């Protein structure tokens, strides 16, 4: 495990992983803030966390989608 950590550190991958993690948390938080009042699919922050992981890593499953105008705009970014 130390070797893996050293490889991440040597290649700058640790910074990239941290940046991606911060981006996922930020996206989940912003979308949750705008969607949870009107969209039952975003009833908890964990729903928004799931949405952000699926949206960033694939084209999305379509099980959770933003319905507000600002939520859709943020998703397109």
């Amino acid at each position: 495990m130390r070797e893996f950590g050293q490889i991440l550190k040597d290649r700058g991958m640790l910074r990239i992983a941290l940046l991606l993690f911060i981006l996922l948390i930020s996206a989940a938080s912003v979308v949750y803030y705008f969607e949870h009042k009107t969209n039952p699919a975003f009833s908890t922050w964990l729903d928004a966390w799931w949405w952000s992981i699926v949206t960033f890593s694939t084209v999305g499953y379509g099980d959770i989608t933003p319905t507000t105008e600002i939520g859709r705009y943020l998703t397109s970014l």
Side-chain angles (χ1 to χ4, degrees):
M1 194 62 151
R2 286 187 187 192
E3 293 171 6
F4 180 70
Q6 190 62 38
I7 290 171
L8 288 178
K9 188 183 289 186
D10 290 344
R11 296 184 182 174
M13 297 295 287
L14 195 57
R15 289 183 186 163
I16 293 171
L18 183 61
L19 180 64
L20 180 61
F21 184 72
I22 290 169
L23 189 61
L24 287 170
I25 286 177
S26 299
S29 298
V30 169
V31 169
Y32 174 74
Y33 177 78
F34 288 108
E35 290 289 323
H36 81 279
K37 294 176 186 171
T38 59
N39 189 347
F42 288 93
S43 60
T44 67
W45 187 85
L46 290 176
D47 292 332
W49 174 247
W50 170 255
W51 168 85
S52 70
I53 291 172
V54 169
T55 301
F56 275 79
S57 63
T58 65
V59 294
Y61 289 138
D63 57 343
I64 300 176
T65 56
T67 57
T68 64
E69 205 169 297
I70 194 156
R72 289 180 181 176
Y73 176 74
L74 291 171
T75 300
S76 68
L77 289 177

